[in-house]
């Protein structure tokens, strides 16, 4: 690696010590047009091409278009010939860029390495934000993370250098905030290996969460496939006031549409209320659209976006976007598949949870609902920040509340953790005194990383199994999500409400009406929170934490130690043998909610994201077994013994026993982590049969050569007994739209036939036959 990297120590308050190289080759190229970012000088904004493509689409469809349709269809690989039917067609698209966070980038880059390609075909970046555990505070936690994860960071850094991928060092910030600050622009089509990639919709881009195999397609210059989404319009009127914030818009929408109401659809915000929300506030709303299953969410280009682009030194992009506003806003009369209307002027502040992000409570009802349901009223910890709510505006509004409390001699009653979204936000709130105010309030400023939001939290104040309540400004609150404690009742709300609730330390507190006891014994009521949308003095960029790939990375060596416990070179999955899958054993019949957290837990397991065999030991750990109502305890049908799910799967694999898993509604909800598909495939799974799938997970299963099947009649779920043998017959005639016949052989010898549906097209069926999409890619490359 001597020819590729020049080591230069970087320091700022102990936050970043990284590797820096000269800027990548295309930064020195003359700028003939406005570039997509300062890091991608040779990649101009695609507006001219998009407008040309859009002209073709408009002639074909001959109707008004939504903003979502304009951006999506203008990125079609073949705008003239592509079939376009919402909810039916599979679109073949050419995204502008790829973004990967460090936990998912490991598997994505391992798959890219397996492809044998020399360099990525589109601008791509890796962001180190997931592997930093919150323990003490930002400086100490970052230092420890760099030491513990050195092997992984070195792999990602060197892989980025070899294959032309930009690398953001640990401490840079959360991927979605970095994208908003540097890469997102109106009209962008980006895919990211994280479910909250839609955050970029706050800057008018269609930013879509995917698995690593999809990222490999785009980086390999293969048209990326997406089922043509429907479009749900959310019409906003009025303006937010008082304690209501942008977070409350999506908390309200989640309550209306539920965790699967947006599946197969883009959420598009429109109406006069749009202009009354800040750019980062729009990002917050789009970010959490992942919690309702939406493909992505987006806002139309407006002045608030232009202001943010100017504040982040991208005035040239703002000006150029203004010249293409017809491309970046919906047509009058554009048809939506469903419309939800929200009056921001009457929208009440909300708190959602526990255990699911769509259980919505107006703040006026929270205490009453908590008492009625027996949820612990006492709040143990308050946490603000995350990729959803860590903007300068968010931090400034929280500081206004903290400042008023301190003036009355009052601090946070509970531990209060603060996660800045990026090094730029951290440096700016330090300079402007906001961070110090939050510390005086009782806060601990954590590293610029995901931290507790994704389970990277070494929590010490409660024991596992102890019933307790936390409130946070995060996005997702599934069981055990934040601290691996299934008894923790996590509530999601705005950072302002977290701050207010932290003062009282109880869920039955409404800051709009209830008073607080001051240090001198008097009572006071908190004023409405306020804060600057953008820093008056401009952003302080902090430390330069970006490493550009060299112009020629061909001589860079990317090494993986065969004995490593963190990284493992992938071996191809076996091809389908052309025969029916007969007499398969059911590994587990899952009852109720089964998210990707249930299938492949995060938290301490994040360290194995680059080692498929090791991380497979977490498969289905927290999924409820319908047979006994227990977690991680299934019956081995060969030995008759009960044991952990991964161990049982390994026993089946060793014995050559093919197995299936059976699930409930919205199976695979939540994160984009493709490990939830890789692990079942690695341990011998052949099919997943459920009532319905979440979008990203269904695609991930297809990519890895598993059959994702749904009950034609959802009630047939009840016909499946955990000790059944399952046969899928007629697979040689597997075709788009054609049902799959499933024969259940019960333990009493009787058989029962049910029909299963699938959503695979011809290309996806070829993935199944080849054993995986990556196998198919290699087959096609070999045939050229």
């Amino acid at each position: 690696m001597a020819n590729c990297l020049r080591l230069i120590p970087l320091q700022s308050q102990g936050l970043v010590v990284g590797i820096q190289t000269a800027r990548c080759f295309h930064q020195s190229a003359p700028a003939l047009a406005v570039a997509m970012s300062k890091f991608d000088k040779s990649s101009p904004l695609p507006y001219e091409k998009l407008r040309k493509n859009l002209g073709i689409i408009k002639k074909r469809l001959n109707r008004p278009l939504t903003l979502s349709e304009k951006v999506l269809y203008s990125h079609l690989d073949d705008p003239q010939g592509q079939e376009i039917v919402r909810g039916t067609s599979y679109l073949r698209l050419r995204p502008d860029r790829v973004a990967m966070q460090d936990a998912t980038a490991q598997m994505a880059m391992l798959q890219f390495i397996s492809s044998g390609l020399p360099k990525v075909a589109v601008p791509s970046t890796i962001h180190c934000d997931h592997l930093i555990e919150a323990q003490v505070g930002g400086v100490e936690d970052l230092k420890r993370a760099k030491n513990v994860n050195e092997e992984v960071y070195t792999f990602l850094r060197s892989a980025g250098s070899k294959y032309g991928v930009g690398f953001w060092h640990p401490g840079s910030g959360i991927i979605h905030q970095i994208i908003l600050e540097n890469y997102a622009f109106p009209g962008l089509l980006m895919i990211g290996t994280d479910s909250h990639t839609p955050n970029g919709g706050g800057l008018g881009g269609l930013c879509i969460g995917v698995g690593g195999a999809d990222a490999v397609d785009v980086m390999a210059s293969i048209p990326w496939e997406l089922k043509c989404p429907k479009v749900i319009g959310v019409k906003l009127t009025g303006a937010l006031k008082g304690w209501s914030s942008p977070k409350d818009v999506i908390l309200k929408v989640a309550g209306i549409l539920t965790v699967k109401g947006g599946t197969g659809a883009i959420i598009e915000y429109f109406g006069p209320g749009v202009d009354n929300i800040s750019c980062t506030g729009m990002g917050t709303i789009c970010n959490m659209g992942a919690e309702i299953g939406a493909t992505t969410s987006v806002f139309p280009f407006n002045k608030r976006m232009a202001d943010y682009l100017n504040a982040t030194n991208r005035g040239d992009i703002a000006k150029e976007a203004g010249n293409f506003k017809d491309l970046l806003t919906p047509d009058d009369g554009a048809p939506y598949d469903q419309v939800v209307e929200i009056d921001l002027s009457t929208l009440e502040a909300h708190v959602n949870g526990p255990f699911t992000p769509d259980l919505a409570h107006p703040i006026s009802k929270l205490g009453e609902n908590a008492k009625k349901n027996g949820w612990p009223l006492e709040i143990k910890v308050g946490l603000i920040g995350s990729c959803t709510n860590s903007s300068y505006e968010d931090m400034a509004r929280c500081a206004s509340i903290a400042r008023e409390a301190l003036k009355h001699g009052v601090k946070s009653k509970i531990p209060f953790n603060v996660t800045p979204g990026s090094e730029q936000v951290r440096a700016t709130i330090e300079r402007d005194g906001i961070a110090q105010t939050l510390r005086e309030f009782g806060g601990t400023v954590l590293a610029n990383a995901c931290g507790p939001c994704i389970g990277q939290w070494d929590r010490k104040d409660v024991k596992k199994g102890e019933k307790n309540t936390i409130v946070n400004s995060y996005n997702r609150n599934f069981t055990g999500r934040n601290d691996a404690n299934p008894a923790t009742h996590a509530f999601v709300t705005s950072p302002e409400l977290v701050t207010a609730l932290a003062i009282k330390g109880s869920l039955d507190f409404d800051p709009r009406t209830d008073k607080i006891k001051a240090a001198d014994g008097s009572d006071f009521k908190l004023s409405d929170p306020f804060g600057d949308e953008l820093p008056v003095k401009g952003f302080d960029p902090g430390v330069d934490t970006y490493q550009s790939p060299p112009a020629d990375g061909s001589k860079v060596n990317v090494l993986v130690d065969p004995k490593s416990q963190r990284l493992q070179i992938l071996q191809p999955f076996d091809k389908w043998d052309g025969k029916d899958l007969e007499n398969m054993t059911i590994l587990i019949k899952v009852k109720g909610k089964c998210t990707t957290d249930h299938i492949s837990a995060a938290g301490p397991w994040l360290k194995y994201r680059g080692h498929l065999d090791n991380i497979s030991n977490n498969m289905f750990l927290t999924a409820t077994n319908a047979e006994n109502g227990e977690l991680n305890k299934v019956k081995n049908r060969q030995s008759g013994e009960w044991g952990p799910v991964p161990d049982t799967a390994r026993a089946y694999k060793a014995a050559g026993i093919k197995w299936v898993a059976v699930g409930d509604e919205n199976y695979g909800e939540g994160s984009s982590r493709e490990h939830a598909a890789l692990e079942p495939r690695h341990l011998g799974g052949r099919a997943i049969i459920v009532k319905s799938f979440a979008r990203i997970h269904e695609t991930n299963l297809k990519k890895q050569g598993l059959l994702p099947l749904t009950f034609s009649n959802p009630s047939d779920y009840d016909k499946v007994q955990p000790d059944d043998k399952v046969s899928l017959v007629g697979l040689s005639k597997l075709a788009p739209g054609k049902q799959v016949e499933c024969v259940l052989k019960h333990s009493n010898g009787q058989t029962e036939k049910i029909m299963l549906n699938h959503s695979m097209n011809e290309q996806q069926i070829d993935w199944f036959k080849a054993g995986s999409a990556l196998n198919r890619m290699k087959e096609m490359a070999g045939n050229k």
Side-chain angles (χ1 to χ4, degrees):
M1 292 176 60
N3 295 325
C4 65
L5 300 178
R6 179 161 51 93
L7 302 183
I8 301 176
L10 301 173
Q11 296 183 357
S12 171
Q13 301 180 36
L15 273 180
V16 178
V17 179
I19 293 177
Q20 177 122 4
T21 67
R23 292 296 189 201
C24 66
F25 69 102
H26 42 61
Q27 280 195 269
S28 60
L32 301 177
V34 177
M36 289 199 299
S37 84
K38 66 181 181 180
F39 305 115
D40 302 298
K41 293 295 187 184
S42 67
S43 298
L45 289 172
Y47 290 152
E48 291 289 355
K49 179 182 177 182
L50 299 186
R51 181 177 273 174
K52 180 181 176 182
N53 288 350
L54 186 61
I56 296 171
I57 297 298
K58 284 202 161 222
K59 285 181 182 177
R60 286 185 56 200
L61 298 183
N62 193 31
R63 63 168 173 80
L65 297 176
T66 66
L67 167 62
S68 308
E69 292 179 305
K70 287 184 176 183
V71 177
L72 198 63
Y73 302 163
S74 63
H75 282 87
L76 285 168
D77 183 53
D78 178 14
Q80 187 66 60
Q82 171 72 60
E83 180 189 42
I84 302 172
V85 181
R86 284 186 193 172
T88 302
S89 307
Y90 278 92
L91 306 179
R92 293 169 67 79
L93 300 155
R94 292 286 184 179
D96 300 304
R97 71 178 309 116
V98 172
M100 299 168 280
Q101 39 94 336
D102 50 355
T104 51
Q106 295 170 66
M107 197 57 68
M109 293 309 297
L110 286 166
Q111 290 177 86
F112 188 81
I113 291 169
S114 296
S115 75
L117 295 168
K119 195 170 186 177
V120 298
V122 300
S124 304
T125 49
I126 294 169
H127 304 260
C128 295
D129 63 359
H130 270 58
L131 301 179
I132 303 168
E133 185 180 43
Q135 280 188 352
V136 182
V139 175
E140 300 91 337
D141 293 347
L142 182 58
K143 183 179 179 181
R144 186 181 61 259
K146 287 181 177 180
N147 180 54
V148 170
N149 302 307
E150 180 181 7
E151 179 185 15
V152 172
Y153 293 148
T154 298
F155 166 74
L156 293 174
R157 189 167 58 238
S158 60
S161 293
K162 185 172 184 68
Y163 297 105
V165 179
F167 181 79
W168 287 85
H169 288 277
S172 301
I174 305 173
I175 176 173
H176 311 303
Q177 185 66 27
I178 297 292
I179 293 297
L180 201 71
E181 292 174 355
N182 297 278
Y183 297 111
F185 60 82
L188 167 73
L189 177 62
M190 183 185 85
I191 65 167
T193 61
D194 188 277
S195 56
H196 293 103
T197 299
N199 190 81
L203 253 179
L206 286 187
C207 302
I208 302 174
V210 299
D214 277 357
V216 172
D217 279 355
V218 177
M219 293 190 292
S221 195
I222 296 172
W224 174 60
E225 197 172 71
L226 176 72
K227 194 167 190 179
C228 188
K230 296 182 178 181
V231 186
I232 297 175
V234 178
K235 183 178 181 180
L236 302 179
T237 58
L240 295 166
K241 60 185 179 181
W243 283 86
S244 298
S245 72
K247 186 66 163 280
D248 298 303
V249 176
I250 187 59
L251 294 177
K252 178 71 172 179
V253 170
I256 295 170
L257 294 180
T258 77
V259 289
K260 62 177 183 177
T263 302
I266 292 174
I267 310 297
E268 180 174 316
Y269 294 84
F270 70 101
V274 164
D275 294 331
N276 296 321
I277 301 173
S278 68
C279 177
T280 51
M282 290 187 272
T284 292
I285 295 167
C286 291
N287 176 292
M288 203 175 154
E291 269 49 72
I292 55 176
T295 301
T296 191
S297 301
V298 69
F299 279 81
F301 177 64
N302 64 4
K303 184 180 182 301
R304 308 298 279 268
M305 293 183 190
D307 289 345
Y308 185 78
L309 286 167
N310 281 305
T312 50
N313 300 313
R314 292 177 288 170
D316 54 346
I317 294 179
K319 184 177 179 181
E320 191 73 352
N323 295 331
F324 289 85
K325 200 163 185 180
D326 59 307
L327 175 67
L328 308 173
T329 51
D331 292 332
D332 290 337
Y336 295 99
D337 294 282
Q338 178 183 351
V339 174
V340 174
E341 294 196 28
I342 295 177
D343 180 358
L344 301 178
S345 301
T346 60
L347 179 63
E348 187 175 333
H350 274 63
V351 181
N352 286 23
F355 306 121
T356 184
D358 61 346
L359 185 56
H361 316 279
I363 185 61
S364 60
K365 301 289 186 184
L366 178 63
E368 175 187 333
N369 291 346
K371 292 171 186 174
K372 183 171 62 179
N373 288 283
W375 302 328
L377 286 178
E378 180 190 3
I379 302 169
K380 290 289 188 179
V381 186
L383 309 99
I384 65 169
S386 85
C387 65
T388 316
N389 277 108
S390 55
S391 68
Y392 182 86
E393 180 182 32
D394 289 328
M395 297 297 170
R397 284 169 64 87
C398 290
S400 76
I401 299 167
R403 207 172 288 118
E404 184 172 23
L406 290 168
K407 187 177 70 174
H408 289 88
V410 175
K411 296 183 178 183
S412 175
K413 191 175 182 180
I414 58 177
F416 186 75
N417 293 326
V418 180
T419 305
S422 68
E423 168 62 6
Q424 178 166 274
V425 168
R426 182 208 65 79
T428 307
I429 65 172
E430 289 286 2
R431 181 200 66 194
D432 293 352
I434 292 172
Q436 184 56 31
T437 296
L438 295 175
R439 288 191 189 97
E440 291 171 3
F441 178 68
T444 298
V445 179
L446 302 174
N448 313 322
C450 300
C453 182
I454 53 145
Q456 285 285 48
W457 184 16
D458 185 22
R459 189 179 180 193
K460 303 289 191 185
D461 63 301
V462 296
K463 295 178 181 177
K464 192 166 184 177
E466 182 180 337
K467 194 174 178 181
N468 75 101
T469 287
I470 64 173
V471 292
N472 60 60
S473 68
Y474 303 160
N475 41 46
R476 195 165 281 164
N477 59 345
F478 301 139
T479 302
R481 165 82 177 182
N482 304 122
D483 60 2
N485 180 5
T488 293
H489 294 54
F491 291 85
V492 176
T493 186
S494 68
E496 298 96 315
L497 268 186
V498 173
T499 308
L501 290 168
I503 296 171
K504 193 71 174 178
S506 179
L507 289 179
D508 58 348
F509 173 66
D510 184 345
R512 304 170 311 160
T513 56
D514 298 344
K515 293 185 177 180
I516 299 168
K517 186 73 68 177
D520 63 3
S522 63
D523 293 329
F524 73 98
K525 190 166 74 71
L526 290 169
S527 304
D528 293 345
F530 66 92
D532 290 327
E533 177 179 342
L534 297 164
V536 175
K537 299 177 185 177
F539 283 106
D540 182 339
V543 177
D544 184 358
T545 55
Y546 177 71
Q547 175 184 308
S548 296
D552 180 8
S554 60
K555 292 183 173 60
V556 178
N557 292 318
V558 181
L559 301 177
V560 174
D561 184 347
K563 297 179 181 178
S564 173
Q565 295 301 301
R566 298 288 301 270
L567 298 163
Q568 182 185 48
I569 295 296
L570 294 174
Q571 300 300 317
F573 291 131
D574 60 316
K575 291 181 62 173
W576 176 54
D577 61 9
K579 300 177 182 178
D580 287 342
L581 296 170
E582 295 184 315
N583 293 314
M584 292 186 290
T585 295
I586 296 174
L587 174 67
I588 184 172
K589 180 182 179 182
V590 179
K591 179 182 178 182
K593 187 185 282 285
C594 189
T595 71
T596 49
D597 282 285
H598 293 90
I599 307 166
S600 175
W605 291 95
L606 283 169
K607 64 185 177 183
Y608 296 125
R609 284 286 179 86
H611 197 293
L612 179 54
D613 195 55
N614 281 347
I615 199 170
S616 293
N617 289 322
N618 76 357
M619 188 180 70
F620 289 118
L621 289 190
T622 57
T624 301
N625 183 4
E627 186 172 10
N628 57 10
E630 296 189 48
L631 308 184
N632 198 29
K633 188 176 181 181
V634 295
K635 189 173 185 178
N636 185 318
R637 302 300 166 185
Q638 186 181 37
S639 69
E641 298 177 355
W642 292 83
V645 187
D647 294 357
T648 306
R650 288 187 185 278
Y652 289 157
K653 182 180 180 181
I657 299 172
K658 297 181 175 72
W659 57 263
V660 301
V662 178
D664 216 315
E665 295 277 7
N666 207 29
Y667 180 91
E669 169 191 347
S671 169
S672 70
R673 70 192 67 160
E674 65 182 340
H675 298 76
L678 282 160
E679 293 172 33
R681 183 72 167 96
H682 174 63
L683 294 184
R686 295 293 167 173
I688 308 293
I689 306 171
V690 301
K691 292 181 181 178
S692 64
F693 285 105
R695 174 190 64 86
I696 300 177
H697 186 62
E698 183 180 23
T699 300
N700 287 343
L701 291 169
K702 294 175 183 178
K703 287 280 186 179
Q704 302 308 333
L706 281 151
L707 286 173
L709 305 168
T710 56
F711 295 104
S712 177
N713 183 348
S715 64
D716 285 346
Y717 168 89
D718 297 319
K719 294 180 180 179
V720 179
Q721 302 305 309
D723 58 356
D724 284 349
K725 293 294 184 183
V726 178
S727 296
L728 302 176
V729 300
L731 292 181
S732 62
K733 297 180 180 179
L734 187 64
K738 182 180 174 64
Q739 289 185 320
V740 173
E741 182 179 326
C742 175
V743 178
L744 304 174
K745 184 177 181 180
H746 301 309
S747 58
N748 61 7
Q750 294 183 342
T751 61
E752 198 166 0
K753 185 175 80 172
I754 62 174
M755 300 307 294
L756 305 174
N757 298 330
H758 69 87
S759 63
M760 292 182 289
N761 59 21
E762 290 286 2
Q763 175 176 269
Q764 294 166 349
I765 291 171
D766 285 341
W767 297 345
F768 164 68
K769 291 178 178 179
S772 72
L774 192 57
N775 286 0
R776 181 59 180 156
M777 182 193 298
K778 290 180 181 178
E779 286 180 355
M780 294 174 69
N783 292 333
K784 289 181 180 178

